[in-house]
Amino acid sequence: MARTRAAYEYTEAEDKSMRLGFLLIAAGLLSLLGLGCCWLRPALQERGGGGSANCTVLAVRQLGERFACTFSCGAACRGTARYPCLQVLVRTSRSSAPALLHEDERQLRTNPKCSYIPPCARDDQENSENVTYKQKYWKEKVGSQPFTCYFNQHLRPDDVMLKRTHDETVLLHCFLWPVVTFLVGVLIVVLTICAKSLAVKAEAIKKKKH
């Protein structure tokens, strides 16, 4: 029994290999848990009940209300500027009721009243010019041409998005890499145990022959 126990003791290299395998297994499980709670679950909730549709512009307008944004002019230099609110109202192929268009989910959460938030410049006039340029784009270049938009009837029935922040590719990578890390860890542990077992059996057969 003592000889068998000694034979199954792992060498320093095998011990390091086992530790690496268990470390990868733990990292994969913790990554899945963390991403699931902090990122994947909210992303799936945003996508739940949603879909794509064809949108057509109904009206493009600037409101009299202005909103604050924060600009950065260096490591320790920050300030507040203002920009006008642009609203793009569209009609979707799923509903005849007008809906407010947004760039994506982040922009919708940041300012649900407006359709566009310009890159925050120090000069209010520059912010106004950026918004006016976007207004001309929707009026003149897009006009009545249909385009693809995205909606979520459960969370935001009166809003649509021009693009999704959480698309299928991001969700796939969010799930794929923790699983790959976990499987690599399992593979290292299994291979190390199998290699040790084969080595012990080979040593026992060699002793019997002698």
Side-chain angles (χ1 to χ4, degrees), residues 1-136:
M1 287 294 292
R3 288 181 180 179
T4 304
R5 195 179 298 112
Y8 271 96
E9 288 181 356
Y10 292 101
T11 63
E12 184 179 352
E14 291 167 340
D15 186 57
K16 287 182 178 179
S17 179
M18 291 287 286
R19 288 181 182 179
L20 176 61
F22 286 122
L23 180 63
L24 290 175
I25 291 172
L29 290 175
L30 289 175
S31 297
L32 277 176
L33 182 63
L35 289 172
C37 293
C38 302
W39 196 91
L40 188 59
R41 185 178 176 184
L44 290 175
Q45 286 177 346
E46 284 183 359
R47 293 174 60 85
S52 62
N54 287 327
C55 281
T56 307
V57 176
L58 291 176
V60 183
R61 64 193 183 190
Q62 283 193 35
L63 301 182
E65 189 176 2
R66 286 178 170 260
F67 291 87
C69 64
T70 302
F71 64 85
S72 176
C73 49
C77 176
R78 287 181 176 273
T80 302
R82 305 188 77 82
Y83 64 92
C85 181
L86 176 67
Q87 287 191 338
V88 180
L89 298 176
V90 299
R91 179 172 52 235
T92 71
S93 56
R94 299 294 184 96
S95 173
S96 59
L100 183 62
L101 180 69
H102 300 273
E103 290 281 321
D104 53 27
E105 288 95 342
R106 288 196 187 100
Q107 186 269 311
L108 172 61
R109 288 194 297 268
T110 303
N111 190 341
K113 282 190 175 183
C114 305
S115 297
Y116 174 66
I117 300 176
C120 193
R122 191 169 191 168
D123 185 12
D124 290 357
Q125 181 62 31
E126 185 177 345
N127 291 327
S128 298
E129 289 173 359
N130 287 334
V131 172
T132 301
Y133 174 80
K134 185 64 71 171
Q135 182 178 6
K136 289 181 178 179

Side-chain angles (χ1 to χ4, degrees), residues 44-51 151-159:
L44 290 175
Q45 286 177 346
E46 284 183 359
R47 293 174 60 85
F151 63 93
N152 192 315
Q153 293 178 339
H154 297 328
L155 295 180
R156 291 281 187 173
D158 299 326
D159 298 281

Side-chain angles (χ1 to χ4, degrees), residues 185-200:
V186 171
L187 183 63
I188 290 174
V189 171
V190 170
L191 289 178
T192 304
I193 293 174
C194 289
K196 184 64 177 179
S197 178
L198 290 174
V200 170

